[in-house]
Amino acid sequence: MKSKVNTWVLRLIAFTIFSVCSANSMADKFVIGAQRLDYFPHYDFTSSRDRGVAWAILEAFSKYSGHELVYLSLPVKRLQIELQKGNIDFVFPDNPRWDNGIQATQKKVFSEPLVHTLTGSFLTEEKRGHTISSIKTLAVPKGFTPVKWKQRINSNLVKVIEVDDVYEGLQLVNQGKADAIDLEYHVVDYFVKRYPQLAGIELDITLPYKDVPFQLSTVNQPKVIAQLNQFLIEHASEVSQIVKSYQIKQPDALVKQLTLGINETANNQ
């Protein structure tokens, strides 16, 4: 009897060691190419401290999967080049609708959204509520794709002014050197609170806006994308708590909130 028990224990130990070794063998080191841009609270991979909600979610996935994730900040336009060369394993953020002109979308595998964002047109108070034809100049961070404005840009109805960072773009709007800027709601809210001189720049939902998912993309690591998708499903509650900790609201809730504000203002006039 004792011999049988010992044999069973030895088999259990061997199975456990095999399982641990197998799990570790599946873990690897990957490089995520990230936009070199302060787009907090969504991301700022140049920060030595809090790098934003996307980083927090990816770090939670790293603990879940055992993969070591290394973040390499690159200019927006450089990301797809390095992905194509194989110098990085993933790009963040990415989206199938963005036209990068380098890496064909059909060759890439995209994760489920890490977070949903509300991207739209931000104007000063005196310019909000005017018709779309009043927007002649649109500030956009270098490498960004203002999809919502593409038709008017291609028709030469709107001129794009590329800026190096969010603050520069907001300053152009504040100084009247650009009619609007295409950015994400929470990012503008963060910068306006950080720089009081920018107060009054707000989203105009009478102009084009959209729910834009921020996703991870790859060419050569589809299995890791599958693991990430599984993590996002199985740990949805944890991911939701991370998003809430950065005070990020869902786009549909924000649109309702902003629409209600417009209606209340109209009723009071």
Side-chain angles (χ1 to χ4, degrees):
M1 181 68 179
K2 185 176 180 180
S3 177
K4 288 183 178 180
V5 172
N6 288 340
T7 300
W8 180 83
V9 171
L10 289 173
R11 286 178 179 174
L12 179 61
I13 293 172
F15 175 77
T16 302
I17 293 173
F18 173 78
S19 298
V20 171
C21 290
S22 296
N24 288 338
S25 66
M26 293 174 66
D28 215 332
K29 183 177 181 178
F30 298 104
V31 178
I32 297 178
Q35 292 180 353
R36 185 180 295 167
L37 182 71
D38 184 354
Y39 217 63
F40 201 86
H42 288 292
Y43 56 88
D44 179 9
F45 289 95
T46 63
S47 173
S48 59
R49 296 175 129 186
D50 189 348
R51 298 181 176 183
V53 64
W55 165 77
I57 293 172
L58 289 169
E59 286 297 284
F61 167 65
S62 175
K63 292 178 182 178
Y64 161 84
S65 64
H67 297 314
E68 180 183 354
L69 302 180
V70 178
Y71 305 96
L72 179 62
S73 295
L74 293 167
V76 177
K77 294 182 179 180
R78 190 74 193 171
L79 287 171
Q80 303 297 334
I81 296 174
E82 298 305 324
L83 181 66
Q84 188 178 52
K85 289 180 178 179
N87 293 332
I88 59 177
D89 299 298
F90 304 94
V91 164
F92 182 86
D94 208 345
N95 186 289
R97 298 180 70 248
W98 296 345
D99 180 16
N100 59 76
I102 298 167
Q103 182 68 65
T105 297
Q106 61 267 27
K107 293 183 179 180
K108 293 192 289 185
V109 177
F110 293 85
S111 74
E112 291 298 312
L114 271 68
V115 67
H116 286 267
T117 73
L118 179 62
T119 302
S121 307
F122 290 80
L123 297 78
T124 55
E125 186 175 0
E126 58 268 21
K127 291 189 177 182
R128 286 198 302 275
H130 294 186
T131 61
I132 193 170
S133 60
S134 67
I135 306 301
K136 304 295 185 183
T137 52
L138 180 72
V140 177
K142 286 181 180 177
F144 275 38
T145 306
V147 177
K148 305 172 294 300
W149 289 90
K150 189 173 182 180
Q151 185 176 353
R152 297 188 67 80
I153 292 170
N154 291 343
S155 300
N156 295 319
L157 296 174
V158 173
K159 177 185 176 183
V160 171
I161 303 174
E162 288 196 323
V163 295
D164 290 323
D165 54 54
V166 172
Y167 179 75
E168 179 188 354
L170 290 171
Q171 277 284 65
L172 289 180
V173 173
N174 196 41
Q175 295 167 359
K177 297 178 180 178
D179 295 321
I181 185 168
D182 190 59
L183 290 173
E184 201 279 329
Y185 178 87
H186 295 92
V187 175
V188 176
D189 183 60
Y190 167 75
F191 272 85
V192 168
K193 289 177 179 175
R194 187 176 175 186
Y195 302 100
Q197 68 269 29
L198 299 175
I201 297 178
E202 295 181 2
L203 178 65
D204 188 341
I205 59 171
T206 66
L207 295 176
Y209 65 86
K210 195 167 185 64
D211 174 348
V212 180
F214 281 175
Q215 298 162 261
L216 195 71
S217 70
T218 189
V219 172
N220 298 318
Q221 301 297 337
K223 290 183 179 179
V224 179
I225 292 292
Q227 289 179 336
L228 174 59
N229 289 341
Q230 183 179 0
F231 166 78
L232 293 173
I233 294 171
E234 294 181 353
H235 296 259
S237 178
E238 179 184 350
V239 173
S240 178
Q241 287 302 315
I242 292 173
V243 173
K244 287 181 180 178
S245 71
Y246 283 87
Q247 300 181 342
I248 293 175
K249 298 178 181 179
Q250 293 301 312
D252 56 348
L254 280 172
V255 171
K256 288 180 181 178
Q257 174 186 318
L258 294 168
T259 303
L260 181 62
I262 290 176
N263 292 337
E264 288 181 349
T265 300
N267 291 334
N268 292 331
Q269 290 178 345

